[in-house]
Amino acid sequence: GGTQGVGLETVKLLVEQGYEVHITYRRSAGKAEELMKEYPGKIFAYKLDQGKLEEIEQADFLTKHEWYGVIFNAALGSGTVKEYAEQGDPLKAANDIAMMTVNALGPLWIYKKILPVLEAKEATGEKSKLVFISSVGGGIACFPKFTLSDGMSKCAVAYLAKQVAAENTHTLIDVFCISPGAIETPMFYSSTLKNMSPEERVAFDAVQAKKRLIQPKEIAFWLGEFLRDESTVMHGCNIDATMGLGVRPGIQTEAGLEHN
């Protein structure tokens, strides 16, 4: 997922640092095309719905390249899932299934797909870096009124990263997880910000950790750091990137904030 939000900022940062970057997209073909034209020979884009196992199985590009770093960024939020899932069921089971499939099973299936590539590299003495992106909700803490399947899916991602890290403690495959708080992205806009008046937005920011939302560039910076050689000492970590929300989750309840 590299055409908006944290993914887009990470792509730009990595290109600036000299990486050749391969991204996936689901709907934003136009933006993907723009990026490839803007950075010819440096960015390559592939259409992929990671919630569909058959698409992952047929994605030859996943095993065609010797990946140095893989960042598992694509995901659904409680706002964007409504567009993705089929609607009409009273229990909103379609939303839950979509959330768990895209956010949790998708990274698992992609990891299984690329694992032979990573193991072949490791056998020849080459390093690889895997970065999983979870969330403060599920990956670090729990919040009242948070969408259950959203938190469950992010918890699953954090667990997947931990398990993969445990299995690679003695290999050259380094594994990390980062769990951000609220980031000012299109996804967060869809789930939380879009119906706020200017006054409500000011009040909302004022009660956040550090009295603001996290910016995509800030998370992109740390994703880039995980790709450095020196990051090996952080193998197995789950970074709390929340500006303090993770150590004081009650800040949401204190402010009367609800996430739907």
Side-chain angles (χ1 to χ4, degrees):
T3 58
Q4 65 178 7
V6 170
L8 178 58
E9 294 299 333
T10 303
V11 167
K12 292 179 177 179
L13 174 69
L14 296 182
V15 169
E16 291 173 1
Q17 294 179 349
Y19 289 95
E20 176 182 294
V21 184
H22 296 247
I23 66 172
T24 64
Y25 66 92
R26 184 172 64 87
R27 293 183 305 162
S28 48
K31 182 60 179 178
E33 196 68 34
E34 289 177 14
L35 284 170
M36 288 192 288
K37 289 181 179 179
E38 185 177 355
Y39 301 98
K42 296 181 179 180
I43 293 179
F44 302 85
Y46 311 89
K47 188 177 187 303
L48 179 70
D49 184 340
Q50 73 176 32
K52 295 181 178 178
L53 177 58
E54 63 272 19
E55 289 196 20
I56 294 174
E57 290 177 331
Q58 295 170 12
D60 293 338
F61 74 90
L62 288 173
T63 54
K64 181 179 178 181
H65 304 282
E66 293 186 349
W67 306 113
Y68 170 67
V70 180
I71 299 174
F72 296 84
N73 176 65
L76 293 174
S78 55
T80 53
V81 71
K82 298 172 184 177
E83 164 272 323
Y84 184 92
E86 295 179 4
Q87 301 302 306
D89 53 314
L91 295 181
K92 296 184 179 179
N95 285 2
D96 296 334
I97 292 169
M99 194 80 79
M100 296 299 292
T101 304
V102 174
N103 292 0
L105 291 176
L108 171 64
W109 292 335
I110 290 174
Y111 169 70
K112 287 183 173 182
K113 178 79 172 180
I114 65 174
L115 183 56
V117 176
L118 302 177
E119 291 178 331
K121 283 185 59 187
E122 204 271 340
T124 62
E126 295 182 70
K127 293 182 179 179
S128 299
K129 307 279 187 177
L130 302 181
V131 187
F132 292 89
I133 301 181
S134 181
S135 171
V136 62
I140 299 293
C142 297
F143 303 94
K145 306 297 183 179
F146 199 82
T147 302
L148 295 177
S149 56
D150 193 348
M152 290 170 65
S153 69
K154 300 304 173 58
C155 184
V157 170
Y159 174 83
L160 174 61
K162 182 182 292 188
Q163 183 66 36
V164 173
E167 294 175 356
N168 286 283
T169 304
H170 294 103
T171 75
L172 296 174
I173 302 171
D174 294 338
V175 185
F176 318 97
C177 184
I178 186 168
S179 294
I183 312 171
E184 194 165 5
T185 62
M187 180 185 292
F188 192 67
Y189 176 82
S190 295
S191 66
T192 305
L193 302 177
K194 70 177 181 179
N195 294 321
M196 290 185 182
S197 67
E199 294 75 19
E200 289 171 333
R201 174 62 195 274
V202 170
F204 179 81
D205 286 355
V207 297
Q208 298 303 306
K210 301 300 180 181
K211 298 184 177 182
R212 67 176 178 86
L213 293 178
I214 299 167
Q215 295 303 303
K217 286 185 177 181
E218 294 176 296
I219 302 301
F221 171 83
W222 290 107
L223 296 179
E225 291 297 285
F226 283 134
L227 300 186
R228 294 171 59 94
D229 279 347
E230 295 86 351
S231 68
T232 297
V233 297
M234 303 296 288
H235 175 81
C237 72
N238 180 9
I239 296 293
D240 177 343
T242 66
M243 300 193 298
L245 177 60
V247 294
R248 189 178 172 181
I251 194 172
Q252 300 286 14
T253 305
E254 293 164 19
L257 300 177
E258 295 185 358
H259 295 265
N260 297 312

mmCIF file of all heavy atoms in Angstrom, residues 128-133 161 165 174-178 226-228 231-238:
data_model
loop_
_atom_site.group_PDB
_atom_site.id
_atom_site.type_symbol
_atom_site.label_atom_id
_atom_site.label_comp_id
_atom_site.label_asym_id
_atom_site.label_seq_id
_atom_site.Cartn_x
_atom_site.Cartn_y
_atom_site.Cartn_z
ATOM 1 N N SER A 128 17.568 -9.437 5.180
ATOM 2 C CA SER A 128 16.252 -8.936 4.799
ATOM 3 C C SER A 128 15.625 -8.267 6.015
ATOM 4 O O SER A 128 15.927 -8.618 7.160
ATOM 5 C CB SER A 128 15.330 -10.063 4.328
ATOM 6 O OG SER A 128 15.852 -10.722 3.196
ATOM 7 N N LYS A 129 14.741 -7.306 5.764
ATOM 8 C CA LYS A 129 14.041 -6.598 6.833
ATOM 9 C C LYS A 129 12.533 -6.680 6.586
ATOM 10 O O LYS A 129 12.057 -6.360 5.493
ATOM 11 C CB LYS A 129 14.449 -5.120 6.863
ATOM 12 C CG LYS A 129 15.960 -4.868 6.921
ATOM 13 C CD LYS A 129 16.529 -4.992 8.307
ATOM 14 C CE LYS A 129 17.995 -4.573 8.347
ATOM 15 N NZ LYS A 129 18.570 -4.627 9.710
ATOM 16 N N LEU A 130 11.784 -7.091 7.583
ATOM 17 C CA LEU A 130 10.324 -7.142 7.501
ATOM 18 C C LEU A 130 9.750 -6.188 8.543
ATOM 19 O O LEU A 130 10.110 -6.268 9.720
ATOM 20 C CB LEU A 130 9.803 -8.548 7.776
ATOM 21 C CG LEU A 130 10.301 -9.687 6.877
ATOM 22 C CD1 LEU A 130 9.653 -11.001 7.301
ATOM 23 C CD2 LEU A 130 9.997 -9.391 5.424
ATOM 24 N N VAL A 131 8.865 -5.295 8.106
ATOM 25 C CA VAL A 131 8.256 -4.333 9.018
ATOM 26 C C VAL A 131 6.736 -4.472 8.955
ATOM 27 O O VAL A 131 6.133 -4.240 7.908
ATOM 28 C CB VAL A 131 8.655 -2.887 8.670
ATOM 29 C CG1 VAL A 131 8.124 -1.940 9.749
ATOM 30 C CG2 VAL A 131 10.162 -2.743 8.524
ATOM 31 N N PHE A 132 6.143 -4.845 10.064
ATOM 32 C CA PHE A 132 4.690 -4.955 10.155
ATOM 33 C C PHE A 132 4.137 -3.707 10.840
ATOM 34 O O PHE A 132 4.702 -3.234 11.825
ATOM 35 C CB PHE A 132 4.294 -6.196 10.960
ATOM 36 C CG PHE A 132 4.629 -7.489 10.275
ATOM 37 C CD1 PHE A 132 5.881 -8.090 10.462
ATOM 38 C CD2 PHE A 132 3.723 -8.115 9.440
ATOM 39 C CE1 PHE A 132 6.203 -9.281 9.841
ATOM 40 C CE2 PHE A 132 4.038 -9.318 8.808
ATOM 41 C CZ PHE A 132 5.279 -9.897 9.007
ATOM 42 N N ILE A 133 3.018 -3.195 10.321
ATOM 43 C CA ILE A 133 2.391 -2.022 10.920
ATOM 44 C C ILE A 133 1.096 -2.445 11.592
ATOM 45 O O ILE A 133 0.158 -2.898 10.938
ATOM 46 C CB ILE A 133 2.129 -0.927 9.876
ATOM 47 C CG1 ILE A 133 3.464 -0.511 9.224
ATOM 48 C CG2 ILE A 133 1.461 0.274 10.537
ATOM 49 C CD1 ILE A 133 3.318 0.589 8.195
ATOM 50 N N ALA A 161 3.959 -10.502 13.798
ATOM 51 C CA ALA A 161 5.330 -9.968 13.804
ATOM 52 C C ALA A 161 6.170 -10.618 14.897
ATOM 53 O O ALA A 161 7.330 -10.994 14.677
ATOM 54 C CB ALA A 161 5.291 -8.450 13.995
ATOM 55 N N ALA A 165 9.311 -13.023 14.233
ATOM 56 C CA ALA A 165 10.589 -12.633 14.840
ATOM 57 C C ALA A 165 11.179 -13.779 15.656
ATOM 58 O O ALA A 165 12.389 -14.049 15.599
ATOM 59 C CB ALA A 165 10.399 -11.406 15.720
ATOM 60 N N ASP A 174 15.473 -9.836 9.715
ATOM 61 C CA ASP A 174 15.105 -9.001 10.855
ATOM 62 C C ASP A 174 13.629 -8.633 10.765
ATOM 63 O O ASP A 174 13.129 -8.298 9.685
ATOM 64 C CB ASP A 174 15.940 -7.711 10.879
ATOM 65 C CG ASP A 174 17.417 -7.990 11.122
ATOM 66 O OD1 ASP A 174 17.740 -9.057 11.679
ATOM 67 O OD2 ASP A 174 18.234 -7.129 10.765
ATOM 68 N N VAL A 175 12.949 -8.661 11.903
ATOM 69 C CA VAL A 175 11.500 -8.443 11.924
ATOM 70 C C VAL A 175 11.152 -7.389 12.975
ATOM 71 O O VAL A 175 11.625 -7.454 14.116
ATOM 72 C CB VAL A 175 10.750 -9.746 12.252
ATOM 73 C CG1 VAL A 175 9.240 -9.534 12.152
ATOM 74 C CG2 VAL A 175 11.195 -10.875 11.321
ATOM 75 N N PHE A 176 10.306 -6.442 12.578
ATOM 76 C CA PHE A 176 9.912 -5.351 13.462
ATOM 77 C C PHE A 176 8.417 -5.107 13.337
ATOM 78 O O PHE A 176 7.785 -5.465 12.340
ATOM 79 C CB PHE A 176 10.640 -4.055 13.092
ATOM 80 C CG PHE A 176 12.093 -4.243 12.769
ATOM 81 C CD1 PHE A 176 12.508 -4.368 11.450
ATOM 82 C CD2 PHE A 176 13.041 -4.310 13.770
ATOM 83 C CE1 PHE A 176 13.842 -4.547 11.135
ATOM 84 C CE2 PHE A 176 14.390 -4.498 13.467
ATOM 85 C CZ PHE A 176 14.791 -4.611 12.143
ATOM 86 N N CYS A 177 7.858 -4.453 14.346
ATOM 87 C CA CYS A 177 6.467 -4.025 14.301
ATOM 88 C C CYS A 177 6.400 -2.611 14.870
ATOM 89 O O CYS A 177 7.141 -2.269 15.800
ATOM 90 C CB CYS A 177 5.587 -4.966 15.127
ATOM 91 S SG CYS A 177 3.811 -4.587 15.044
ATOM 92 N N ILE A 178 5.545 -1.793 14.298
ATOM 93 C CA ILE A 178 5.327 -0.456 14.831
ATOM 94 C C ILE A 178 3.829 -0.263 14.994
ATOM 95 O O ILE A 178 3.034 -0.660 14.135
ATOM 96 C CB ILE A 178 5.946 0.629 13.915
ATOM 97 C CG1 ILE A 178 5.828 2.011 14.567
ATOM 98 C CG2 ILE A 178 5.323 0.616 12.534
ATOM 99 C CD1 ILE A 178 6.667 3.071 13.875
ATOM 100 N N PHE A 226 14.054 1.375 10.218
ATOM 101 C CA PHE A 226 14.054 -0.082 10.359
ATOM 102 C C PHE A 226 14.828 -0.759 9.234
ATOM 103 O O PHE A 226 15.254 -1.915 9.384
ATOM 104 C CB PHE A 226 12.627 -0.620 10.379
ATOM 105 C CG PHE A 226 11.905 -0.423 11.681
ATOM 106 C CD1 PHE A 226 10.606 0.057 11.710
ATOM 107 C CD2 PHE A 226 12.520 -0.722 12.883
ATOM 108 C CE1 PHE A 226 9.930 0.235 12.910
ATOM 109 C CE2 PHE A 226 11.860 -0.547 14.095
ATOM 110 C CZ PHE A 226 10.555 -0.063 14.101
ATOM 111 N N LEU A 227 15.017 -0.096 8.108
ATOM 112 C CA LEU A 227 15.733 -0.693 6.984
ATOM 113 C C LEU A 227 17.244 -0.502 7.082
ATOM 114 O O LEU A 227 17.983 -1.047 6.265
ATOM 115 C CB LEU A 227 15.222 -0.100 5.661
ATOM 116 C CG LEU A 227 13.731 -0.293 5.363
ATOM 117 C CD1 LEU A 227 13.394 0.212 3.961
ATOM 118 C CD2 LEU A 227 13.321 -1.757 5.502
ATOM 119 N N ARG A 228 17.701 0.251 8.069
ATOM 120 C CA ARG A 228 19.139 0.463 8.246
ATOM 121 C C ARG A 228 19.796 -0.792 8.830
ATOM 122 O O ARG A 228 19.159 -1.562 9.553
ATOM 123 C CB ARG A 228 19.391 1.654 9.173
ATOM 124 C CG ARG A 228 18.938 2.987 8.600
ATOM 125 C CD ARG A 228 19.016 4.071 9.661
ATOM 126 N NE ARG A 228 20.362 4.230 10.175
ATOM 127 C CZ ARG A 228 21.256 5.109 9.720
ATOM 128 N NH1 ARG A 228 20.933 5.921 8.725
ATOM 129 N NH2 ARG A 228 22.456 5.202 10.258
ATOM 130 N N SER A 231 19.485 -1.492 12.623
ATOM 131 C CA SER A 231 18.199 -1.816 13.242
ATOM 132 C C SER A 231 18.132 -3.242 13.764
ATOM 133 O O SER A 231 17.191 -3.589 14.490
ATOM 134 C CB SER A 231 17.068 -1.596 12.228
ATOM 135 O OG SER A 231 17.143 -2.547 11.176
ATOM 136 N N THR A 232 19.105 -4.072 13.437
ATOM 137 C CA THR A 232 19.069 -5.484 13.866
ATOM 138 C C THR A 232 18.892 -5.620 15.369
ATOM 139 O O THR A 232 18.226 -6.553 15.838
ATOM 140 C CB THR A 232 20.355 -6.209 13.419
ATOM 141 O OG1 THR A 232 20.414 -6.204 11.984
ATOM 142 C CG2 THR A 232 20.360 -7.652 13.895
ATOM 143 N N VAL A 233 19.442 -4.701 16.145
ATOM 144 C CA VAL A 233 19.317 -4.792 17.607
ATOM 145 C C VAL A 233 17.864 -4.633 18.062
ATOM 146 O O VAL A 233 17.529 -4.988 19.194
ATOM 147 C CB VAL A 233 20.196 -3.748 18.322
ATOM 148 C CG1 VAL A 233 21.661 -4.003 18.027
ATOM 149 C CG2 VAL A 233 19.799 -2.324 17.929
ATOM 150 N N MET A 234 17.000 -4.134 17.174
ATOM 151 C CA MET A 234 15.592 -3.956 17.515
ATOM 152 C C MET A 234 14.732 -5.132 17.053
ATOM 153 O O MET A 234 13.509 -5.086 17.135
ATOM 154 C CB MET A 234 15.051 -2.667 16.870
ATOM 155 C CG MET A 234 15.806 -1.416 17.243
ATOM 156 S SD MET A 234 15.683 -1.045 19.007
ATOM 157 C CE MET A 234 13.985 -0.498 19.094
ATOM 158 N N HIS A 235 15.374 -6.193 16.561
ATOM 159 C CA HIS A 235 14.655 -7.369 16.084
ATOM 160 C C HIS A 235 13.643 -7.837 17.133
ATOM 161 O O HIS A 235 13.976 -8.022 18.297
ATOM 162 C CB HIS A 235 15.645 -8.495 15.782
ATOM 163 C CG HIS A 235 14.986 -9.793 15.388
ATOM 164 N ND1 HIS A 235 14.525 -10.050 14.124
ATOM 165 C CD2 HIS A 235 14.713 -10.914 16.121
ATOM 166 C CE1 HIS A 235 13.998 -11.263 14.078
ATOM 167 N NE2 HIS A 235 14.101 -11.807 15.276
ATOM 168 N N GLY A 236 12.407 -8.035 16.703
ATOM 169 C CA GLY A 236 11.368 -8.525 17.599
ATOM 170 C C GLY A 236 10.594 -7.448 18.328
ATOM 171 O O GLY A 236 9.652 -7.750 19.073
ATOM 172 N N CYS A 237 10.939 -6.187 18.102
ATOM 173 C CA CYS A 237 10.297 -5.110 18.852
ATOM 174 C C CYS A 237 8.900 -4.803 18.312
ATOM 175 O O CYS A 237 8.580 -5.086 17.164
ATOM 176 C CB CYS A 237 11.138 -3.838 18.795
ATOM 177 S SG CYS A 237 11.109 -3.027 17.173
ATOM 178 N N ASN A 238 8.071 -4.235 19.162
ATOM 179 C CA ASN A 238 6.814 -3.605 18.754
ATOM 180 C C ASN A 238 6.875 -2.188 19.292
ATOM 181 O O ASN A 238 6.691 -1.956 20.487
ATOM 182 C CB ASN A 238 5.611 -4.357 19.316
ATOM 183 C CG ASN A 238 4.284 -3.714 18.907
ATOM 184 O OD1 ASN A 238 4.237 -2.813 18.080
ATOM 185 N ND2 ASN A 238 3.202 -4.173 19.512
#
